Amino acid sequence: MIEIFQIAPHIVEVQWPKEISTEILYQKAHVKKKLIEHYPHTLLRAVSGFHNLGLFFAEPQNSKEILTISRNILSNYAGESKMEKHLWKIPVCYNGKDLEKLSEWKNLSIIEIIRLHSSVSYHIHFYGFLPGFLYLGGLDEKLATARKTNPEREIKAGSVAIGGRQTGIYPSTSPGGWHVIGQTPITMFDPTRSPAVWGNEGDIIEFFPIEFNEMALYEGKIPEKIKYA
Amino acid sequence: MKGKYLKKSSMLEILDPGLYCSLQDEGRVAQGDIAVPFSGAMDRQSLHLANHILQNDLNASCLEFASPGPTLKFHYSTTITITGAKAFLVLNGKSIAPANNAILSLKPDDVIKIKTLESGSWAYLGIVGGFDSEKVLGSQSLSPGITVLSGLLKGNTINYSSQDFLFSASSSRVKPAFPWEKVKVLKVRKGPEFSLLPEEIIRKLRTDSFSFTSERNRMAAPIHELLPANRLEILTSPIFPGMVQLTPGGKMILLLMEAQITGGYPRILFMEEPQRNLAVQMKPGQKFMFEIV
């Protein structure tokens, strides 16, 4: 069920069927991990999308060979339940500047928005957009909101926001078109720390509400790592 | 104590940054899976040439800038060279001839102003021994969200090792070539979504002339001529510098070194590095055709 596309002599892409699913997420995470082990020196960069894995090598590769190896890896894939994953609980102060507008548009009370946002588990599909930005799957459809037509010039680091069918956390201050519903004091990306991020593809994220005066408790911290069974 | 004598730290001061002045080396190849962009020199060949001329490590960091160039004060004697786009220099108020690839010895407190670049878009100022700055995730390249500074600003300083010894230059100067001036064809490969393109778009890609707009930066170079609007949709997918994206409105965008690592537009073409080094230097409006190999 996987195919390969040769982008350049040293760049190939392993492709799954075009859909967003946790099944593909965990197959892809497994293939990525094993390919990195298989090519410890030549595979320099492995970047995931929702249904594809871009592989950047130090030297030209035979894509058929990589496809064969990837298929062999997948034939030994034991399924999602056997994948090691962790749960991270992220404190959020739901005081975002777009929260009231969202409540009006969606005809949902602010309390209901907070409940819907903080009562589900999200999967980390991959990192993209900005260094340390998580692509999370699992947003309740009731909260899906089209992105702003005119992006804001500045969205603060730590902003928790909704854009389209996704929710995410801005790891650094940047322009952005998502609706800000809250703020987390947790550090998402710190290039001076190794590793610079705490979560891995396939890990689970849950949000829990905190009061504004509790922000300082978590300031600059990373969340507690919980083994997820 | 010899090392201490040679490594006396000195600094370069940015009096005026001009456009897109930053420090760049070969960039960050690792860490892509946490969304760290490649960064690094837009025209890697010119970066390497500057370092080659100065007998530096080829990956040593250089100042990269667009037009108009920066005004710089060197607080201690050193040796520099400029490669890439054709640069006219003013040294302490006096114009000097185009000096690409020449080895220039500077005295303490010399001020260099780089005027409008005349051929090419990106120039590199290399310094003997390279610049000293903190490596973040394995590279000195300035990059938004990664390094404290995303570009150099007025008043910023960068350290370099002062040079009390005479630089022994090889006798012959590498003749500046500006090869991008003659480019009429850019070779590209088919991107992952090429096969989804309607016949009409493929025909236009093969037969029409294109040019880059002036709205270029380190992330991307948009292409001026529009292709027909389309309804191609993809899920967010990995992208690499050199990919050409196609928007629903028919705009093509060549992704460059500071591009994000994932994107939501179809990736229709891919331009490999030797061609990309030429493409980034081409003038806005300079016509070319794609040769799809």
Side-chain angles (χ1 to χ4, degrees):
Chain A
M1 70 177 286
I2 53 170
E3 298 298 333
I4 200 134
F5 185 88
Q6 186 121 27
I7 294 167
H10 63 298
I11 310 177
V12 300
E13 182 172 278
V14 183
Q15 302 173 330
W16 278 258
K18 188 181 155 187
E19 59 185 60
I20 299 176
S21 75
T22 53
E23 176 59 28
I24 288 176
L25 162 63
Y26 286 107
Q27 286 191 16
K28 195 160 44 72
H30 179 70
V31 170
K32 178 174 158 181
K33 183 166 168 263
K34 295 292 171 188
L35 282 175
I36 291 170
E37 287 170 17
H38 193 270
Y39 298 97
H41 305 297
T42 51
L43 178 51
L44 303 180
R45 208 174 234 253
V47 178
S48 295
F50 279 113
H51 70 114
N52 36 22
L53 183 58
L55 305 169
F56 185 97
F57 289 91
E59 49 205 47
Q61 299 295 320
N62 177 342
S63 61
K64 284 203 180 95
E65 189 185 309
I66 293 168
L67 181 60
T68 306
I69 291 166
S70 301
R71 284 184 170 153
N72 283 341
I73 291 171
L74 264 185
S75 68
N76 294 317
Y77 170 68
E80 182 180 332
S81 57
K82 292 282 193 299
M83 292 288 288
E84 193 194 19
K85 44 188 174 287
H86 291 94
L87 167 66
W88 308 88
K89 292 193 168 191
I90 312 293
V92 180
C93 175
Y94 286 96
N95 63 350
K97 66 180 183 62
D98 300 318
L99 192 55
E100 276 186 33
K101 264 181 282 170
L102 211 65
S103 161
E104 280 174 37
W105 290 336
K106 304 254 109 188
N107 201 18
L108 291 168
S109 69
I110 286 178
I111 290 175
E112 183 63 2
I113 291 176
I114 295 171
R115 193 191 65 77
L116 288 169
H117 191 260
S118 60
S119 62
V120 287
S121 301
Y122 301 89
H123 286 88
I124 301 181
H125 278 261
F126 54 91
Y127 286 89
F129 174 41
L130 294 168
F133 184 91
L134 301 169
Y135 273 75
L136 298 174
L139 182 71
D140 191 300
E141 274 183 24
K142 290 197 210 77
L143 293 180
T145 314
R147 289 165 205 197
K148 294 178 182 173
T149 26
N150 296 310
E152 305 259 343
R153 267 184 44 206
E154 191 176 291
I155 293 190
K156 260 175 59 188
S159 292
V160 177
I162 288 173
R165 295 160 152 269
Q166 290 179 68
T167 186
I169 308 160
Y170 282 78
S172 51
T173 301
S174 87
W178 291 23
H179 306 273
V180 178
I181 59 168
Q183 182 77 18
T184 182
I186 293 285
T187 299
M188 301 300 295
F189 177 78
D190 180 355
T192 65
R193 215 154 46 193
S194 183
V197 297
W198 35 264
N200 287 315
E201 285 175 34
D203 281 353
I204 312 292
I205 291 225
E206 288 174 6
F207 297 106
F208 66 96
I210 58 166
E211 298 294 331
F212 184 73
N213 61 17
E214 294 175 284
M215 293 270 283
L217 288 176
Y218 303 95
E219 195 68 51
K221 297 222 170 96
I222 64 170
E224 188 195 350
K225 183 177 186 174
I226 304 162
K227 186 115 181 134
Y228 192 85
Chain B
M1 297 313 282
K2 192 182 163 201
K4 192 178 172 192
Y5 170 71
L6 287 173
K7 287 291 274 186
K8 191 163 63 185
S9 183
S10 190
M11 68 184 191
L12 161 73
E13 184 182 346
I14 311 287
L15 300 183
D16 176 353
L19 188 65
Y20 298 139
C21 185
S22 70
L23 195 63
Q24 297 294 335
D25 52 22
E26 289 178 351
R28 302 176 174 83
V29 70
Q31 311 280 347
D33 55 349
I34 57 171
V36 173
F38 276 83
S39 303
M42 296 287 281
D43 173 1
R44 198 197 296 233
Q45 199 175 339
S46 295
L47 174 93
H48 286 167
L49 178 60
N51 286 323
H52 168 77
I53 290 168
L54 297 171
Q55 297 163 27
N56 286 346
D57 182 311
L58 286 185
N59 184 31
S61 57
C62 290
L63 272 194
E64 178 189 85
F65 48 87
S67 186
T71 304
L72 311 163
K73 181 173 179 179
F74 294 80
H75 285 236
Y76 203 81
S77 56
T78 186
T79 302
I80 63 163
T81 190
I82 294 175
T83 61
K86 192 191 278 182
F88 288 82
L89 305 189
V90 179
L91 174 62
N92 301 325
K94 270 193 196 154
S95 287
I96 56 176
N100 281 60
N101 303 0
I103 291 168
L104 303 170
S105 294
L106 300 181
K107 299 183 301 299
D109 297 326
D110 272 354
V111 172
I112 279 191
K113 180 183 160 68
I114 293 145
K115 298 199 283 189
T116 313
L117 302 176
E118 298 222 342
S119 166
S121 304
W122 300 93
Y124 295 84
L125 186 150
I127 195 161
V128 68
F131 290 101
D132 295 331
S133 74
E134 193 195 358
K135 280 192 177 179
V136 180
L137 300 175
S139 163
Q140 290 175 274
S141 289
L142 299 187
S143 177
I146 305 291
T147 50
V148 177
L149 288 170
S150 49
L152 291 165
L153 307 170
K154 186 183 161 109
N156 286 159
T157 58
I158 315 172
N159 291 336
Y160 56 90
S161 302
S162 67
Q163 190 205 346
D164 281 339
F165 52 94
L166 214 62
F167 175 72
S168 58
S170 54
S171 52
S172 60
R173 173 178 166 195
V174 182
K175 200 168 168 267
F178 313 114
W180 44 84
E181 290 177 353
K182 295 170 216 90
V183 170
K184 293 198 164 53
V185 173
L186 286 171
K187 282 193 185 123
V188 287
R189 302 171 65 101
K190 293 173 184 173
E193 278 77 53
F194 184 88
S195 62
L196 305 179
L197 291 172
E199 196 93 337
E200 187 196 3
I201 289 185
I202 293 179
R203 188 176 50 77
K204 288 181 95 61
L205 279 173
R206 291 191 193 277
T207 57
D208 285 10
S209 288
F210 298 98
S211 61
F212 295 107
T213 75
S214 56
E215 296 141 39
R216 297 176 294 178
N217 55 32
R218 287 189 38 82
M219 289 180 79
I223 289 172
H224 176 74
E225 293 77 9
L226 294 179
L227 293 173
N230 63 85
R231 289 170 178 279
L232 303 171
E233 273 187 36
I234 67 162
L235 297 175
T236 302
S237 293
I239 52 181
F240 295 93
M243 268 174 173
V244 178
Q245 291 180 319
L246 178 64
T247 70
K251 187 111 188 148
M252 281 188 283
I253 301 164
L254 172 64
L255 299 171
L256 299 170
M257 301 317 291
E258 215 66 60
Q260 296 170 2
I261 67 144
T262 57
Y265 293 132
R267 307 154 299 166
I268 61 169
L269 301 170
F270 183 80
M271 192 184 295
E272 287 188 72
E273 192 191 315
Q275 292 286 290
R276 209 167 67 229
N277 290 331
L278 296 172
V280 297
Q281 293 286 17
M282 287 166 71
K283 269 204 186 88
Q286 183 179 341
K287 293 282 185 188
F288 64 88
M289 287 177 73
F290 285 120
E291 183 186 338
I292 303 168
V293 295

